[in-house]
């Protein structure tokens, strides 16, 4: 059974950086795409970034392009989200998710980690 555990959230000032980690376990992930999503209070969950584990191909939401970087550590089955130049509007609970290449939707989700950015 696939399990995802996020860490690294916190309280930071605008302009600072933060790195989120997602530890994945339960199987090999060569056929998976890993994603980061976020949900702010009162808003719907939104896509942030994704990476295909086998190829390293990445995709980003327009709102984070140039500021966030998604990457994998294959040896440790970990997915990272490096967040630079954080803005108050980045404040949200961030979730790691996994999607098998045979599926259209992300089917496995972590519990999330809170990121709060203040001015």
């Amino acid at each position: 059974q696939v399990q995802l555990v996020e860490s690294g959230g916190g309280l930071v000032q605008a302009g600072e950086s933060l790195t989120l980690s997602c530890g994945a376990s339960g199987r090999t992930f060569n056929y998976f795409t890993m994603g980061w999503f976020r949900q702010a209070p009162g808003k719907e969950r939104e896509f942030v970034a994704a990476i295909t584990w086998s190829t390293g191909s990445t995709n980003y939401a327009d709102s984070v392009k140039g500021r966030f970087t998604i990457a994998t550590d294959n040896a440790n089955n970990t997915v990272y989200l490096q967040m630079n130049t954080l803005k108050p509007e980045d404040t949200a609970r961030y979730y790691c998710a996994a999607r098998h290449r045979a599926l259209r939707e992300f089917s496995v989700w972590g519990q999330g980690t809170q990121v709060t950015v203040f001015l």
Side-chain angles (χ1 to χ4, degrees):
Q1 180 153 349
V2 176
Q3 289 188 319
L4 304 174
V5 179
E6 303 96 331
S7 62
L11 179 65
V12 296
Q13 194 167 17
E16 294 184 340
S17 299
L18 206 59
T19 300
L20 305 183
S21 300
C22 172
S25 63
R27 63 176 301 165
T28 58
F29 291 88
N30 289 344
Y31 301 121
F32 280 80
T33 293
M34 306 299 294
W36 284 97
F37 293 77
R38 66 187 182 187
Q39 186 167 21
K43 294 187 177 181
E44 292 187 356
R45 185 170 60 196
E46 65 174 358
F47 168 78
V48 175
I51 185 167
T52 300
W53 208 294
S54 59
T55 65
S57 176
T58 59
N59 187 29
Y60 296 92
D62 288 342
S63 59
V64 305
K65 277 182 183 176
R67 299 189 299 122
F68 290 12
T69 302
I70 188 171
T72 60
D73 178 349
N74 293 353
N76 294 303
N77 273 2
T78 302
V79 183
Y80 299 99
L81 185 68
Q82 172 69 42
M83 305 184 294
N84 297 327
T85 319
L86 282 161
K87 305 175 181 180
E89 50 263 44
D90 294 319
T91 295
R93 190 164 185 85
Y94 283 70
Y95 296 90
C96 179
R99 178 178 65 82
H100 190 276
R101 67 180 185 182
L103 303 177
R104 290 187 175 184
E105 303 292 334
F106 285 85
S107 60
V108 183
W109 295 83
Q111 294 300 307
T113 184
Q114 179 66 35
V115 173
T116 302
V117 184
F118 63 94
L119 287 172

